[in-house]
Amino acid sequence: MTPPRRIVVVGASAAGLTAAESLRADGFDGELTVVGSEPHLAYDRPPLSKQLLAGAWAADRLELLPRDRYDDLSIGCRLGAAATALDVAGRTVRVGGSDGDGDGVDGVELGFDRLLIATGVRPRTWPGTDGLRGVHVLRTLDDTVAFKAAAHDAGRVVVIGAGFLGAEAAATLRGLGIDVTLVDPSPAPMLRQVGPVVAGLLADLHAEHGVDLRLGRSVAAIERDGDRVTGVRLDDGARFATTCVLVAIGTTPATEWLAGSGLDLADGVGCDAWCRAAPGVFAAGDVARWFHRGRGASLRVEHRTNATEQAMAAARAMLDPGDPYEPVPYVWSDQYDTKLQTYGETTATDRFAVISGSIDERRFVALYGRAERVVGALGWRSPRELLRARALVADGVPWSEAVAA
């Protein structure tokens, strides 16, 4: 494989920046350009729904790399410049918007020998609310700043969606003394992600902190007066007056700009076990769906740890393909005084067994099983015990053996 001299990274967040740093650490000394649609330097996203929303951190604390380090590493940045098209055969990326120097350059074509796609995901929006003031999503730094101000002004927030983001945002808002109504069609928060037992505990936790839980309920309408939201009405007729609504109903991979590229775009960018989507084209982070040889299936993981680990793996593969990318996915969530952590896969349909601690004491480790194998482990305020359980997930230990041990 001919060594690359020009590498372009599309996506200036955790995965994109990590890949750029890794390329330099692995010895790449050619031209390296990072393209980002936002005007900000790369920043960390998990604190958006926690420390930044709570006001515990200033925005500049989220930056992943000091500004002078970009020059030290010779990383060129085109910020506020969304990629609009990819020509795989011609090895070019079309970039629109500013070139980062404020001179308004538009429609630039960047040539590459290797390309990394790290454009992440976009939040799903509520139908018919485009341009409706007071209806928010939470994906970018600017989203969080605007939502925080609106939430304080409103005093009551309706959060639609009780997955990771919705549950975390609800917890943070309650810590600020803001009234929260949490709505979800599921009977408990994060049910799909952690199963009924843990989801039930999360429901209790939120209720104890004063969240108005409206679970098993759907939104019938987001009400408005002109261009301003005035309330939310549920399918049972309940109505909640508010000028601030957070929509947290999931995401979609940010692949629109890749239409017509010939890449596999079914649920993200399809890749092989080395994060390769096409000759010279790789993907990493939330947008990447890659073949995990250990699982024998393709995975797409939307969490911070994977963004970093996969970016490093993709950077290595760009220069000299070695081992395939076969991680044990790790996820965490902070809600109130509780840290929830998982390894592997933990879904509502998996078998469930507590192997350490006690649910009643709210300090435990549980295993998740599928096809008579351990596929995941979850710790509720039990980081050390969970770390020991990681090996059971990595090795796919037989279910009966793991539970007995």
Side-chain angles (χ1 to χ4, degrees), residues 9 40 67 72 79 87 103 124 130 140 145 183 207 215 220 235 244 288 290 371 385 387:
V9 177
H40 309 290
R67 294 171 183 262
D72 293 343
L79 303 178
D87 181 350
D103 57 8
R124 291 193 176 101
D130 288 349
T140 69
V145 171
V183 183
L215 303 171
D235 57 353
C244 184
W290 85 102
E385 294 82 356
L387 191 58

Side-chain angles (χ1 to χ4, degrees), residues 353-359 363-366 382 385 388:
V354 174
I355 61 167
S356 172
S358 164
I359 288 179
R363 188 180 297 274
F364 64 91
V365 171
S382 299
E385 294 82 356
R388 289 195 286 269

Side-chain angles (χ1 to χ4, degrees), residues 208-226:
E208 289 162 6
H209 284 82
V211 175
D212 179 13
L213 295 172
R214 300 291 169 145
L215 303 171
R217 299 262 63 97
S218 298
V219 173
I222 293 181
E223 300 178 341
R224 63 197 298 164
D225 180 5

Side-chain angles (χ1 to χ4, degrees), residues 4-94:
R5 297 308 307 159
R6 298 176 302 169
I7 294 181
V8 173
V9 177
V10 179
S13 194
L17 180 61
T18 298
E21 289 186 277
S22 296
L23 286 165
R24 291 303 191 210
D26 292 341
F28 176 67
D29 60 1
E31 181 181 333
L32 180 56
T33 303
V34 175
V35 176
S37 60
E38 293 184 59
H40 309 290
L41 292 173
Y43 60 87
D44 212 9
R45 294 191 191 275
L48 294 179
S49 62
K50 297 183 277 287
Q51 292 91 342
L52 186 65
L53 180 58
W57 289 7
D60 58 3
R61 186 170 173 180
L62 273 63
E63 290 185 357
L64 292 170
L65 194 67
R67 294 171 183 262
D68 57 359
R69 285 291 291 158
Y70 288 85
D71 291 334
D72 293 343
L73 295 171
S74 296
I75 299 174
C77 291
R78 288 181 175 267
L79 303 178
T84 58
L86 168 64
D87 181 350
V88 174
R91 298 290 178 96
T92 61
V93 175
R94 188 80 174 174

Side-chain angles (χ1 to χ4, degrees), residues 276-288:
R276 183 173 48 224
V281 178
F282 298 75
D286 295 359
V287 75

